[in-house]
Amino acid sequence: MVGDNTDHGQIESFNSQFMKHAVFSLSISLFLFFSSAGFSQSTKSYAFVNASLFNGKENKIYSGSVIFTKGGKIERVGKSGEPTGGYEVIDCEGYFLMPGLIDAHSHLDNLAAAKRALETGVTTVRTAGVSAFQDVALMELSRTGKIAGPDVVPAGVYVSPQLEETVLADTRLGVLLNGVRTDDELKLLVNVNIDRGAKVIKTRGTERAGRADTDPREQVYTEHQISVIVQEARKRNVPVMIHAHGDEGARAAVLAGAKSIEHGTFLSDETLRLMKERGTFLVPTFITLEDLTQPGGDYTGPVLELRGKFMMPQAEKVFKKALALGVKIATGADNSYTATTTSRISLECTHFVRMGMSPFEAIQAATMTSAELLGVEKNTGKIEKDFEADMILVPGNPLEEIRFLQDALMVISNGNIALKRIPFGKK
């Protein structure tokens, strides 16, 4: 633990230089990789014509729409027949154009994963803990146009009692090798994260479901410890997201001022009412529980399979109660977008509809509501003038059939066409 006699100025100066060198070196490597991978380094002006538009705000489709983008933003929304001179014309062929999806709980930490996320229709991500601030580097690459996206709201490293190998992420973390439990230890880790560029802090209310040797209902940090984390982050205007399957840990997190509860499988009616009262978001990550029950994906093993089968009905009950109470619900897939990942935000929306949301409500959970949770609701989440040009094209009306979200025909992120699978025919 860092004591009062530590030469903070000297340490911070050293780490500042180290961080700048490390991030610069990493950024150059990532830039070269994405350049060779064919990602656009400059944003063109486009006119997306012949689109059936769902703007994200209204429960309706506008046929024959034209969306003009410039400088990575939506310049205006018009109708067929408007002049398109000066724009590269992209024919949407009557397919359905809608806001890009948001994954509010991901462990995205590399370039290949970023590309896979985009290809699923996800244009904005909030990470939930990575090993060494890779998410911060991805945020900068997307922000500066080095990669098409997705935009990233990074959490940096997980505030957890044992950092294990993550202690190597920053030289200042060496004093936390034996644990992160005292007020000073918690404050140090929060501030290292924010110093390194984290825009949200992720910490633990309960144990994990994805490890066979832990019970996800068991509380980890106390209400006091979580309060220390929340208050320290609040000094620098950074919100806190809390991993909590069990009710006791989740209630402590809500009372401490958490922005969102991640998972929430065993939440009581009392805790749900408290969340509604305090405006705390729920990110169910239901698709992750399904992943536990299936071979492959991000989680596998007989203990996890049985656990998932037990937890899914419980999580569904909690979801339905949260929906009835009016708790704000956002979407998260809780995956790393690996080559074997099977969980998707589109599938999470499908579950939301099956469990009682309308398709319109499910899409808003994955766009406008998630944007509000991430604090980017003035930038993305709907197709509107001056918003970021984050859009996806799907083959059918998602307001009638939510499964169409699973088939992104085109993905536009920050005005860049990151994926284009049409036209299917050849001339």
Side-chain angles (χ1 to χ4, degrees):
M1 183 178 70
V2 177
D4 292 338
N5 295 325
T6 303
D7 189 343
H8 295 286
Q10 192 174 38
I11 292 175
E12 288 177 4
S13 175
F14 170 79
N15 282 290
S16 176
Q17 294 177 30
F18 174 81
M19 180 189 74
K20 288 178 181 177
H21 174 74
V23 171
F24 176 77
S25 299
L26 180 59
S27 296
I28 292 295
S29 298
L30 296 175
F31 173 82
L32 292 173
F33 181 92
F34 260 66
S35 295
S36 65
F39 279 81
S40 173
Q41 302 302 317
S42 62
T43 301
K44 299 179 180 179
S45 296
Y46 292 106
F48 295 92
V49 304
N50 194 21
S52 299
L53 176 66
F54 167 59
N55 61 23
K57 300 183 299 179
E58 302 168 278
N59 191 5
K60 63 185 296 185
I61 300 295
Y62 289 90
S63 300
S65 294
V66 181
I67 296 82
F68 297 88
T69 68
K70 185 176 184 179
K73 303 281 188 179
I74 297 169
E75 187 178 38
R76 69 183 190 277
V77 177
K79 297 180 179 179
S80 292
E82 292 191 21
T84 57
Y87 297 84
E88 182 174 332
V89 175
I90 305 295
D91 187 0
C92 294
E93 301 185 6
Y95 292 126
F96 293 78
L97 194 65
M98 59 173 283
L101 304 177
I102 297 176
D103 188 341
H105 189 119
S106 174
H107 298 279
L108 188 76
D109 66 357
N110 62 79
L111 286 163
K115 182 174 183 291
R116 292 188 196 102
L118 278 176
E119 290 172 348
T120 71
V122 168
T123 56
T124 305
V125 165
R126 181 183 67 166
T127 60
V130 298
S131 63
F133 303 104
Q134 300 96 322
D135 53 351
V136 175
L138 288 168
M139 172 187 69
E140 287 301 312
L141 288 170
S142 181
R143 184 185 66 82
T144 57
K146 302 295 190 304
I147 61 175
D151 288 336
V152 178
V153 178
V157 302
Y158 202 170
V159 179
S160 189
Q162 292 295 332
L163 292 181
E164 299 176 345
E165 293 295 320
T166 304
V167 76
L168 302 176
D170 189 289
T171 55
R172 290 168 289 179
L173 301 183
V175 294
L176 305 179
L177 182 62
N178 295 319
V180 188
R181 295 180 179 84
T182 70
D183 290 6
D184 285 345
E185 290 166 346
L186 293 166
K187 289 177 181 179
L188 173 63
L189 186 48
V190 166
N191 282 297
V192 168
N193 267 310
I194 299 173
D195 288 347
R196 291 295 297 267
K199 304 302 181 187
V200 62
I201 297 296
K202 164 80 177 300
T203 192
R204 187 184 296 282
T206 70
E207 287 288 0
R208 293 179 55 187
R211 287 182 58 163
D213 60 345
T214 59
D215 189 319
R217 292 166 290 196
E218 182 182 350
Q219 186 170 350
V220 174
Y221 281 140
T222 65
E223 182 183 337
H224 169 76
Q225 288 171 312
I226 297 173
S227 293
V228 169
I229 294 167
V230 169
Q231 290 168 19
E232 193 66 17
R234 187 174 290 157
K235 292 176 183 178
R236 300 175 71 176
N237 298 313
V238 173
V240 177
M241 58 193 291
I242 310 286
H243 165 106
H245 284 282
D247 185 60
E248 292 82 0
R251 184 164 58 251
V254 177
L255 291 170
K259 182 73 171 180
S260 64
I261 299 299
E262 312 298 304
H263 315 302
T265 308
F266 298 96
L267 296 181
S268 66
D269 293 356
E270 177 188 356
T271 300
L272 286 170
R273 285 193 291 269
L274 190 63
M275 291 174 67
K276 169 61 178 176
E277 176 186 318
R278 298 197 173 201
T280 312
F281 289 74
L282 174 63
V283 186
T285 66
F286 190 87
I287 192 64
T288 308
L289 298 181
E290 184 175 66
D291 186 11
L292 296 180
T293 69
Q294 305 293 329
D298 286 51
Y299 304 93
T300 188
V303 172
L304 300 185
E305 179 181 342
L306 294 171
R307 177 179 288 172
K309 289 178 179 178
F310 171 73
M311 292 176 70
M312 283 182 71
Q314 174 63 30
E316 183 168 342
K317 289 180 181 179
V318 168
F319 179 92
K320 290 178 177 178
K321 289 179 180 179
L323 180 61
L325 284 170
V327 174
K328 294 179 180 179
I329 300 175
T331 51
D334 192 11
N335 67 43
S336 300
Y337 289 99
T338 69
T340 59
T341 293
T342 56
S343 53
R344 297 284 187 270
I345 293 302
S346 57
L347 296 175
E348 183 81 343
C349 289
T350 300
H351 278 300
F352 282 11
V353 171
R354 181 184 61 78
M355 294 188 292
M357 279 188 175
S358 68
F360 177 61
E361 290 172 324
I363 295 170
Q364 285 206 312
T367 53
M368 291 179 64
T369 304
S370 288
E372 181 186 354
L373 169 59
L374 273 56
V376 295
E377 70 274 17
K378 294 182 180 179
N379 302 317
T380 193
K382 52 187 175 181
I383 297 176
E384 187 173 278
K385 177 180 167 58
D386 295 329
F387 271 60
E388 292 176 0
D390 295 337
M391 304 179 289
I392 61 174
L393 191 71
V394 297
N397 187 347
L399 298 176
E400 295 178 352
E401 180 52 74
I402 195 69
R403 69 181 178 87
F404 287 124
L405 296 188
Q406 299 172 33
D407 189 23
L409 303 179
M410 183 158 50
V411 177
I412 302 98
S413 177
N414 297 309
N416 295 295
I417 298 177
L419 173 72
K420 186 174 184 290
R421 296 166 51 205
I422 57 171
F424 295 122
K426 295 181 179 179
K427 294 183 179 180

